[in-house]
Structures are given as C-alpha cells and as structure tokens.
Amino acid sequence: MSMKKLKYTRMNAFALALIGGLAVSACRGGSAETSMNANGADLSAQLRGAKAGSVVTLSTGDTLSLSESTISYYNSRGNRALWTDDDKLTETGRAVFSALASSFQDGLDPSLYHYPQAEQIARSLESDGDSAASAGTAADLDIILTEGITRYASDLARGALDPTASGLEWRIPREVAPEVGVLQALAGGAEAGEILAGMRPKGSHYQRYMTALARYRDVREKGGWGTVPSDATAKPGSTSPAVAQLRNRLIKGADATEAKLAQTGAARPDYFDADLQKALAHFQDRHAIEPDGALGSQTIVELNHTVDERISEIAMNMDRWRWLPHDLGPRFILVNVAGFEMEVNQDGKVVEAMNVVVGQNNWKTPIFADTMEYMIVNPSWNVPESIMEDEIRPAMARNPNYLAENNMVLTEDGTAKQLPGDDNALGDFKFMFPNKDNIYLHDTPAKSLFSRTQRNFSHGCIRLERPADLARFMMENAAKRPPSDVDKLLASGEEQWVKFEDKWPVYILYFTAFVNDDGSIRFHHDVYGRDEKLDDQAEGKIS
C-alpha cells in the first residue's frame, strides 16, 4: 500500500499555547449550552437555508460541507454558538479543539476534521482586533468544531473507511454513528475526552494498537531507522559493514527485545554475533519470515520498510477494529486470516493461541462473525459438491478403488462421505458455528503445513494446529463437562456431537498488523490483497 507521512504528530506550539492561554476568557462562558454568544448573527447567515450537503465558504477561503446533524442541532438552539463566546473559545470549545488536534492518536488524520482551518482561524482570533471580523471567523470556527467533533466521534464509533466502498464484502454489523448525541452531551457539560474514549472499541486490543502507534511515532520523531543495502549478505560469525547497518537498524527499531539483543554487541558493531542473530530471528518471526537468523533478500525487504509505512499499516488495522462491534463480550474466539493465527480470549486475556491454515487465494476464507454452538469428535466429512466435482469424481475416474482407499462411501445424493478415521480430512475434531459458507474450524492430518510461515492452503475452512487443546478447553468452558471427556469420546472411534451450554462468538477477521497481548506487533503479508483495495480510500484519512 502507498503510505504518507502524518502532518500532525503532536499539537504544535500555537495549539498548546492557545489551549492553555485562553483559560481566563474561556471560564466566563461556563458550559457551551449556557454561554451568551456574540456571533449568532454570523452563524445564522452561514446556516440560512442550509440542507445536508450544503457547502459554506469559510473566512480562510476553504469550503466545508454541512451535515444534517450540524444543521439540525444549531437550528434547535436558535443558531447560538456552541464553542465560542465573545469571539473566544469556551472551556468546552478548547477541549473540542484539543481533541481534534490529537486525533492522530487513533491513526486518523486531523485534516479530516478540518483541524488546520480551525487552527488558522483560532490564530486569527487571537491576533485580530476587528470585532466585526472576529465575529465572522468565530462563527466559522464554531461550525468547524461542530462538524469536526461529530465526524471524529463517528469515525471512532464505526471506522473512517468503508470496506464495501472498496469492493470488500463485510458482513459484520457496524456501530451506529452517534450524530447529535455527542453535541448534546458536550453542550450539557460532558468532558470531550471521556465522550471520545467511550466511542473507541472496548477491551485491550484497541488500546494495544494506540500504544504501539505511539511507540512507532516516537521512533519517527527520533529520526526513524536506517536501511540495509538490498544486495547485502552476511552470516553469523562474519564481519562486514552490512552487519553494522543491520545492527543499527534493529537498535533504532520499535521492538525492545530486538533493540536490546542488537545492543549487546555494539562494541563490535560489524561482527555478526549470536545475540544479533537472535534479534534478527525475532524480527523475522514478527514479519512472517522463516526465523533462521540469516540476512536474506526477503528479510532485507522487510527491514527496509520505512517507519512511515509501518505507522500507516498500524493505523489502517486500527480502523478495522473500529468496524467491529465495540464490545466483543467477555469471551470470544478470533481468527486472523492474514496472520494464519487464532486466539481464544476470556476475561480480557488470551488463554489459548495457535497457528491455523486458511483458504488459498482461489478459495478465500470469508470475513464474518458467528456463534460456535457445538463440536464434533471423530467427525465424518461430507464432501462439498464443488470439491466432489473438481477433485473426487476425476480421481474416481482414474482409480475405481479411490473411495475404498480413502475410507469414503457414496451418499444417496451422489456425493461422497469420508468416515471417521486417521486419514479423515477433518481429523479428530470439528468446531461448528453454522453459516451460509459452511466454514468451520477443524483438525487435519496434514500437520506439516503448520510449520510454514504462509499457510493459505485450504478450501476455505480453518485448520487448527492443536485442535485437541481447543476441544478440551471448550469441553470445560462451553459444554461445562470435564476436559477428560474428550479422550473418552475419541476412544469410541464413532462420531460424537457435543453441544455447548455457553455459545461463544467467533470472529473471522483480517489484520495485516496485529498487536499481541505483550505489546509486540506482528506484520503480516496482505495475502488476499485487502489492504491494497483499501489504499485509495485511506489516502487523506488514515495516517
């Protein structure tokens, strides 16, 4: 994806001075609802006859499209200003101004909320002694802050990007935009920071992204990290200038483990010591590369991504979290298709995690949410018609004994069914959350695939690295039965269904940057090209 540098990594000096310096004049206004505004006439002029989508021209020369919520709320209060009083920002106005300035903390570009124009007008109000001109610019500032804060709150609540607008199927209901509710709460004296915090996704995952984003921005503020020559070669135990460049790259990176390991050999920077090899292997593991600790071409490509590119990746994946229901519940199963990984979350903690195999590119695993209702021990495999047509029937034509050799029988409808057994394609376990795509989690006899770094090999369903561990966990926590019952059912050799008393939400998602519960971040390849499809839409929104 193309990346661009965020324009506002922190509030500039003027914004900080403005927020602090207006305290005296702002305190006179009290809450926005009770302030006496001198610029109401100017607001009325801007809003007269306005409808949703109407464009007003600001004193800066910029234009601003008005939303229905802005127009209706101003009209409901007689077009009195919300955030300004006597041509100055009120205390609440300063809080809104501050919130827009700090929207970069959520990976969002403050210019999306017209913060540059708000800053320019606020600067003008501070320096302009012409009361008539000040009234007009104060009205503009009021409208900008109203549009900005409602849009920021909406983007926090449901995401700034629309996956369907980029041609991506998205089946999970998104949160409802808060619209005038935010304005009403602020006008009633609520704290802007608290309101916006309430708009963010609940739970620890999103907060981890905010922390990781701040860490990568700190690296950028310190000058970023260096690069390694694209043709560099170096092996453990060798000495070369490329080793010193590799060491410098890892020391200045955003991962504390890698930086600490690389720093231990700083007295001999050009020597490829054992700790540097460990640091590089750790980096490779975080970037979906075989962690052999060798400086290969693929590793160099990942090392040479800029910090700006990584910041943009983190920001885009933060927006993906905002597409989801903001409260995923006290327990849920999350499959990250792009990362070929699954985790079980309970009471805010990851209690189980494992590698998975997902659909190959012409059998993509869909992105959706559902509810796990039961599991099957010693499952039969009812061969889907598509696989029957494309693979099984041609194999039967070549080999008349194919069904018998693969423990299969023909069903009444002419498709094949593979009976329970060691060679069953579903292995020993199948975890069901009934859905229109017939996607489920299951075991597999093809264990060797889990050792690969890229694991998109299935027909769409999700194969588990350690299904027995999940089965025992779900037996205890969902079926409310002893975990040892799993072994008893397995020993029967017959198909056994286990219904769950507690139904667990399952989220099949797609994150190309994923922050672990220890704060480390993994960057995954865009195996289905979903980042690429979002890229044009993200320009100017995600930073």
Side-chain angles (χ1 to χ4, degrees), residues 242-260:
V243 175
Q245 291 169 305
L246 169 63
R247 187 182 302 279
N248 179 66
R249 163 65 181 84
L250 295 175
I251 288 174
K252 291 187 176 181
D255 187 90
T257 298
E258 292 156 18
K260 183 177 180 180

